[in-house]
Amino acid sequence: MNDRLLTVYAPPVEEPIEAGSDLAAILVNALRRNRIDLKDGDILVIASKVVSKADGRMRSVKDRAEFEDLVKDSSNHLVAERTYASGSTVQVVRTKSGTVQAAAGLDQSNSSGAVVLHPHDSDASAQKLRLRVEESFSVRIGVVISDTISRPWRIGVGDFALGLSGFSGLDDQRGRPDDDGRVQSVTVRAVADEIAAAADLVKGSSRGLPMALVRGAGGYLDNGRAGAKALSRDLGEDWFRYGHVEAIHRGLGVTELPGRAAAGDNSDDILERVSRAIRVVRAGASRTPGQAAWRMRIEGSGSRITMAPSDSPATPQAGGPPLLEAMVGLGSLVERMHTALFAEDLSATTQWEWADGELGAFPRGVRINIGLLTP
C-alpha cells in the first residue's frame, strides 16, 4: 500500500559530473552529506543528463545543420517536421529508445555547448544505479531516470520516465472495481511518469539538483523487469505516428519532403504553401498515368493554380491512347492537388475548361482557385 502523504526532496549534489564520473558514488555521497537515511520503498529520480554525462554520451557539433544530422542519427521514425524564422528545423521523432520527442531528446543546455545524447540503455543504467545505492544503504528502492518531454494537445513540458528499475512503472487497474463497483476495463496508470513529473517540481540539473527522493510511493515497488521501454506504445498501436501534414504527404507517396518544411508558427504565406503543395504533388509516387502531360503554374501570388497541356507531346505511360491517359492524369492531378492544399490549410475550388474534338468534348485545362481554411 502507498502512503496518503507523498514527499519529494532534492538534495544538493556538489561534485561535478563528467565523463567517467562514478555517478552512483556521487549520489550516495550527496544523500549522506544531507543526512538522508534511505528507507525501503523510497524512489530516486535522476536526471538523464547526468547519467549521459557520466557515461560520456556527449557530442560536439559545429552548427545547427550538424545538430539536425545528429537528431536523424538518433531516431528511427520521423513524426513531424517544422521550420522557424531563425532558419532552424525542429523534428519530432521516435527515438531509438522508443520515445517520441522533439529533437530526439537531445539537449544542449548546461553542457558547455556539447550535445547530450540519451543514455545508451536507460533501463540498464537505472538498474546499475539502483543496485549500487541499495548496497550502500541496505534498502530496497526504485530508480527512475527522467527526461523532459512535450505533450500533444498541451502547452509546456514535463518530465517522464526514460529509464526504470525496481518496479514496473504501470499500475494496471483493469479487472478491479471502481468506487461504484463497476469493473474497470481500460485504466492503466503510468505511475513512473507521474513520479518523474512530481520529482521535476523540485529538482533541476542546472541548479545542482539532478536527483530527487520520492517517499510515500513504495507500494508500487515490485519485481517488474520490463523497464521504461514498456511505457512506449508500439508503432503499430500508435494512432498518431505521423503529424497530420506528414500523414497526408505519406498518402500522396512522399517519403521525404522536397524543399523547406512548413513553418512551426504557421507564418508561411499563401504563395509558400501553394508552392510546397505543388512540390509534394510532383514528388509523390504517381498511381495513374498521364500526369506528366500537364504543367502547373501559380498565378495571383498563390490565389490560383492553372493546369494546362505540357509543351512536350504526350506519350503513353500505361499502353493506352496518349489523349485518354492525359485526361485520366488530369483528374488524378486535380485530386492530388486538393489533398496537398488541404494539408496546408488551404481550400480549393475547381473550374474545368473544355474543348471540342472528334470524339466530343475533352478537358483542355483546369483552374484551381485557392482560399484559406480555418484550422
Side-chain angles (χ1 to χ4, degrees), residues 84-97:
Y84 288 87
S86 62
S88 63
T89 299
V90 175
Q91 292 184 329
V92 177
V93 301
R94 183 176 290 269
T95 72
K96 293 185 177 179
S97 301

Side-chain angles (χ1 to χ4, degrees), residues 105-188:
L106 305 188
D107 193 353
Q108 286 182 286
S109 61
N110 304 303
S111 58
S112 302
V115 178
V116 183
L117 309 180
H118 274 174
H120 180 70
D121 185 335
S122 297
D123 288 331
S125 295
Q127 175 84 347
K128 292 177 182 177
L129 290 170
R130 180 178 67 83
L131 294 176
R132 288 280 302 279
V133 175
E134 285 183 337
E135 182 181 11
S136 297
F137 286 91
S138 299
V139 291
R140 179 172 172 265
I141 65 169
V143 167
V144 173
I145 293 177
S146 67
D147 197 15
T148 302
I149 194 169
S150 56
R151 303 158 302 152
W153 309 297
R154 301 287 286 179
I155 295 173
V157 298
D159 268 23
F160 77 108
L162 181 65
L164 180 64
S165 179
F167 61 114
S168 66
L170 293 171
D171 178 22
D172 191 347
Q173 299 195 358
R174 292 172 296 181
R176 303 180 195 171
D178 62 14
D179 290 343
D180 294 327
R182 291 176 296 186
V183 175
Q184 299 179 77
S185 60
V186 175
T187 303
V188 180

